[in-house]
Structure formats: structure tokens, C-alpha cells
């Protein structure tokens, strides 16, 4: 199988259970780069054994970490995946056919569609988990990740094509995984709000929970995925509410920022 002048980039921290599947799912990348932020499991050894070059970088936040990774790539065209994501065989075949034309063009990026595996099987109806469009292929001189600590996105100008076949996201293999991620993501988002001086509006909290639940359960069709859909909607609504509760605490008790950082780090949640 021929390789293409493209770098696969994966940012990692303790991803020993998923990194091999991710790396092995992309056979056409001329370079595979893992940017690791101090894993203390076998992530680095496994990544190297599966053909990746590993660069160590202290954690900067999702957006800055991805932008740092971009500077370490050998090739201008980049495919960015998370360690719990992998390409389907159908998408591999599509990219092998279509990528050469994309890379010869002046397009800044391309969209991929993500399919979420939740509780062991794909979601069938919940809209963000069925064909969610994400910009994951890009030219490093024509696109850049936002500097957000969490929920970063790729920014570019101009038209970008969309590939049809999906890539897979093994989303939070257990509910404890999800709850730990909620704690981590909420903390990062609240620190962004704190830096920007976002006003505290706790009166919105009950409405935020209700509206977030209805958005996912009804309007995004989670209800059609049965109890799995209910759990997704409830978790999303709880996250929306918890962020505001935690931000209120940060504003009321600034010392809680450092105290929470210490306890999350002690339990391997914060980076």
C-alpha cells in the first residue's frame, strides 16, 4: 500500500488501551506523530512499537497542544485524531482515492464524519453521534486550532470538501470514564471563563439543565436510542449545569482553583 506525504497527529496522556488501534487504522500516512504529555503507562512504548515518532510536551491545553503538534510535523498536510478514534476501512479506502487530489489543491482543510460507539455499539439516532462533521484534515499553513483549553476547533477560510465514510469514536467506554472527563473538561472551561471575566448568572442554572436535556433528548433525537439516549442527554445536561456551579465557586472562592487542580492531578484527571 502506497504512503502519502501526510502526518497523522495524536495527542496523548495515558492512552495505552487505545493508541495501537488508532495508529494501525491509518496505513497510508508517511509519518505518525504522537505528542505525549507525560504518560506514566505504556502509551509511549506502544506508540513507538506501532510506528509512531513520539515527542514529549508538557500539557498546554487542547488547542495549544494541537498547535504545538502541528509545528512538529514533517509534512504540511495533517490528519488529527484522538487516541480513542480510528478510521473505518471504508474511510481508509475513500481517503486513499481522494486525498491526492485534495493535497494537490489549494483547499485549506477537509471535513470527516464521526460515528460514536457508546456502551459497546454505535448510536443509531442521536445526531451528534451519527455523522457529526469535524474538520480533521488540514494544511498547516492554511488552518490553525483555536487556543481554547477545551472544546477547541480548527479555523480556516475557504471551502473544504467533506468525505463520506465515517471514522469511529470509542466514546467513554464506561460511565466512570465519562464522569472523570466531565470533571476535567468543566475545570478547563471554567478557567477559560475566569480569564475572560465572564459574568456569573446562577439564576440561569435550572433553565440551563432543562434546556440542555431537551435539546439532546428531543431535538437531537437521543430518545430514539432508548435508555442509552436518556443517559447521554442526562450526562450532557449535568455537565452544562456543573460548569456553572463550578464557575460560581471559583468566583466566590478563588483559592478553590488551585485546590481543585491539586486534587484532580493527584487522581490523574488534570494535566
Amino acid at each position: 500500500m502506497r504512503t502519502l506525504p501526510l502526518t497523522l497527529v495524536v495527542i496523548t496522556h495515558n492512552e495505552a488501551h487505545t493508541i495501537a488501534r488508532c495508529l494501525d487504522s491509518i496505513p497510508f500516512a508517511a509519518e505518525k506523530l504522537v505528542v505525549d504529555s507525560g504518560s506514566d503507562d505504556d502509551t509511549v512504548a506502544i506508540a513507538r512499537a506501532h510506528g509512531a515518532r513520539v515527542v514529549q510536551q508538557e500539557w498546554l491545553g487542547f488547542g495549544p497542544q494541537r498547535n504545538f503538534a502541528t509545528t512538529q510535523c514533517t509534512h504540511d498536510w495533517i490528519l488529527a485524531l484522538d487516541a480513542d478514534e480510528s478510521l473505518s476501512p471504508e474511510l481508509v479506502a475513500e481517503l486513499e482515492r481522494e486525498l491526492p487530489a485534495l493535497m494537490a489543491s489549494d483547499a485549506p482543510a477537509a471535513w470527516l464524519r464521526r460515528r460514536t460507539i457508546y456502551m459497546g455499539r454505535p448510536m443509531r439516532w442521536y445526531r451528534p453521534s451519527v455523522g457529526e462533521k469535524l474538520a480533521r484534515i488540514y494544511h498547516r499553513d492554511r488552518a490553525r486550532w483555536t487556543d481554547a483549553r477545551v472544546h477547541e476547533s480548527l479555523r480556516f477560510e475557504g471551502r473544504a470538501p467533506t468525505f463520506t465514510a465515517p471514522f469511529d469514536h470509542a466514546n467513554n467506554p464506561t460511565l466512570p470514564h465519562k464522569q472523570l472527563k466531565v470533571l476535567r473538561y468543566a475545570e478547563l472551561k471554567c478557567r477559560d471563563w475566569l480569564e475572560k471575566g465572564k459574568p456569573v448568572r446562577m439564576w440561569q442554572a435550572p433553565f440551563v439543565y432543562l434546556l440542555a436535556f431537551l435539546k439532546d433528548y428531543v431535538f437531537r433525537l437521543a430518545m430514539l436510542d432508548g435508555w442509552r439516549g436518556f443517559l447521554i442527554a442526562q450526562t450532557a445536561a449535568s455537565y452544562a449545569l456543573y460548569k456553572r456551579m463550578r464557575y460560581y465557586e471559583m468566583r466566590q472562592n478563588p483559592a478553590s482553583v488551585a485546590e481543585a487542580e491539586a486534587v484532580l492531578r493527584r487522581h490523574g484527571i488534570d494535566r
Side-chain angles (χ1 to χ4, degrees):
M1 184 174 295
R2 64 171 177 165
T3 60
L4 298 172
L6 172 142
T7 298
L8 165 68
V9 171
V10 188
I11 59 174
T12 61
H13 182 260
N14 290 342
E15 304 287 357
H17 58 297
T18 59
I19 188 61
R21 179 181 61 217
C22 175
L23 294 172
D24 291 348
S25 73
I26 299 90
F28 54 78
E31 179 183 45
K32 299 179 181 182
L33 173 67
V34 166
V35 176
D36 185 76
S37 56
S39 293
D40 55 16
D41 63 1
D42 292 330
T43 297
V44 170
I46 294 172
R48 287 174 174 153
H50 288 260
R53 175 168 62 92
V54 178
V55 173
Q56 290 289 344
Q57 171 59 48
E58 184 178 348
W59 184 244
L60 303 171
F62 279 97
Q65 194 82 351
R66 292 193 192 278
N67 283 325
F68 169 81
T70 296
T71 69
Q72 303 301 301
C73 296
T74 300
H75 303 286
D76 288 334
W77 279 97
I78 296 166
L79 167 61
L81 291 181
D82 293 337
D84 60 357
E85 296 171 340
S86 58
L87 301 193
S88 66
E90 296 81 9
L91 181 55
V92 169
E94 184 178 4
L95 291 177
E96 287 178 332
R97 291 193 309 269
E98 305 295 338
L99 269 180
L102 172 70
M103 296 168 67
S105 74
D106 60 358
W111 299 91
L112 299 181
R113 296 187 180 276
R114 184 167 72 175
R115 172 177 59 194
T116 295
I117 311 299
Y118 184 65
M119 292 189 173
R121 63 185 191 275
M123 299 297 287
R124 296 182 59 196
W125 294 98
Y126 178 53
R127 303 320 302 163
S129 296
V130 182
E132 178 186 18
K133 283 179 62 175
L134 298 168
R136 292 298 189 85
I137 298 176
Y138 62 101
H139 191 289
R140 63 177 166 188
D141 293 333
R142 304 169 194 162
R144 177 180 172 81
W145 296 94
T146 59
D147 286 326
R149 286 189 175 94
V150 67
H151 304 315
E152 76 288 1
S153 59
L154 191 65
R155 301 296 190 191
F156 54 88
E157 295 182 358
R159 298 184 62 181
T162 301
F163 291 100
T164 303
F167 70 102
D168 290 328
H169 180 207
N171 182 35
N172 304 308
T174 68
L175 284 176
H177 284 84
K178 178 61 177 179
Q179 294 306 312
L180 292 174
K181 182 178 286 188
V182 163
L183 287 175
R184 178 177 169 226
Y185 279 23
E187 199 70 14
L188 294 172
K189 190 65 177 178
C190 289
R191 290 180 202 170
D192 279 346
W193 288 349
L194 196 63
E195 286 184 0
K196 296 174 182 177
K198 179 178 178 176
V200 176
R201 299 187 178 98
M202 277 301 291
W203 63 269
Q204 296 178 344
F207 306 103
V208 163
Y209 180 90
L210 179 61
L211 292 174
F213 182 85
L214 289 175
K215 179 180 72 174
D216 279 341
Y217 194 63
V218 178
F219 297 107
R220 290 181 168 178
L221 304 182
M223 60 184 179
L224 299 181
D225 275 305
W227 285 112
R228 290 190 305 150
F230 175 85
L231 292 174
I232 278 184
Q234 193 280 331
T235 302
S238 296
Y239 171 60
L241 175 60
Y242 176 75
K243 281 187 297 186
R244 285 153 180 84
M245 293 166 52
R246 176 66 181 120
Y247 184 56
Y248 173 78
E249 181 183 33
M250 286 181 173
R251 294 292 295 267
Q252 291 293 309
N253 178 21
S256 70
V257 177
E259 292 171 357
E261 182 179 3
V263 72
L264 292 174
R265 182 175 292 116
R266 187 159 63 246
H267 289 280
I269 300 171
D270 196 18
R271 290 192 279 175

